[in-house]
Amino acid sequence: MEKTIMLFSYAKINLSIDVGDVMKNGMHPVDMVMQQISLRDEISIRFTDEITAEAIDSFEVNPDGFQIYLRTNLRYLPNNRYNLAWKAAELMINEYGDRVEPKGLIEIFIKKRIPVAAGMAGGSGNAAAIMHGLNAMWELGLSLEELCEQGAKLGSDIPFCLIAQAKSNRVLPENIRYSDIASTCARARGTGTELSKVRPLKSSILVVTPRLSISTRTVFAGIDECTISDRPNNDKLCRALRYGDKSAAYSEMINVLEEFTLKEYPEVAELKHFMSETCEGAKKVLMSGSGPTVFAIFDSNNQAKKYAATFKEKSCFAFWARTMI
């Protein structure tokens, strides 16, 4: 017995981020708008009751009779439970493995294109794809709401990745693809898992990631000591997106995490300033997530392509993409 599925795991950018005071549980409440873009990883999943010799040397046996074998095209990424995709497979086994017969090997290959630790939910998207893939292959019949509830146990960005991938992967079950909550753009509140659909932005994007890794935990720990000079009005942002008023939307695209990251990591501040000064025609330049990625919004694909080539010459990871609608 063998089943396979291939899914696309898309990157996201933050059109806005606001952060409240730290709560008793140590987390910060957020209010932000996330948008899926066309940059994507490829996730291949194979489920079989036959174990290969290569897998025997590489997997850990789950007590319930499942095995997980994970590989990526990047040698420095973990291929065990330190990888969020592995944790997603383990979660699905623990929650739903008793419904699956026969048990067997979950073989995962991740072809990474999204930069690692770059503020674009690359790892969260990979985990979401694993959950979608196993739900489909095992014919569990889970709703998108059920998947989001489970995904929130692993990370606050995973529910958004689940609803956005549902809109963009045609191989998924119909109840997932046509779910009322499926959307490539959403407002996230609370711990980031309380989602409401937002009309997507239709634009071209230049994304530039310097050769720098920034810990999200470090940024959130440091933001409490910062004075926030400007905050987004996400009600106005969502309303502007709904009515297609891009000018009004741009004015509310603010990321308060810049207050910490741009001061602590001058490379990111310099990159944002340089992009703002040199990217002619850019409607907005903003940091995504906790950094270090900075993106610029354009009306034209040609403009985004032009500047992607320019920044690649400066040894940055740079590409152009479209927002997914």
Side-chain angles (χ1 to χ4, degrees), residues 81-153:
R81 60 174 42 90
Y82 292 103
N83 190 306
L84 202 52
W86 177 294
K87 291 181 180 180
E90 200 165 47
L91 173 70
M92 294 295 283
I93 290 169
N94 292 338
E95 294 291 334
Y96 307 108
D98 58 346
R99 303 189 196 179
V100 181
E101 289 295 341
K103 316 301 184 188
L105 170 69
I106 302 167
E107 188 173 354
I108 301 165
F109 180 72
I110 303 175
K111 186 175 182 179
K112 294 292 295 181
R113 292 191 178 95
I114 303 170
V116 177
M120 290 189 286
S124 295
N126 296 165
I130 297 303
M131 296 181 69
H132 271 311
L134 294 179
N135 177 51
M137 287 197 299
W138 290 347
E139 300 178 7
L140 297 174
L142 300 176
S143 68
L144 192 50
E145 290 85 351
E146 288 174 303
L147 285 171
C148 287
E149 182 179 351
Q150 294 295 336
K153 297 175 181 178

Side-chain angles (χ1 to χ4, degrees), residues 55 95 206 209 213 268:
E95 294 291 334
L206 165 69
T209 304
S213 180
V268 184

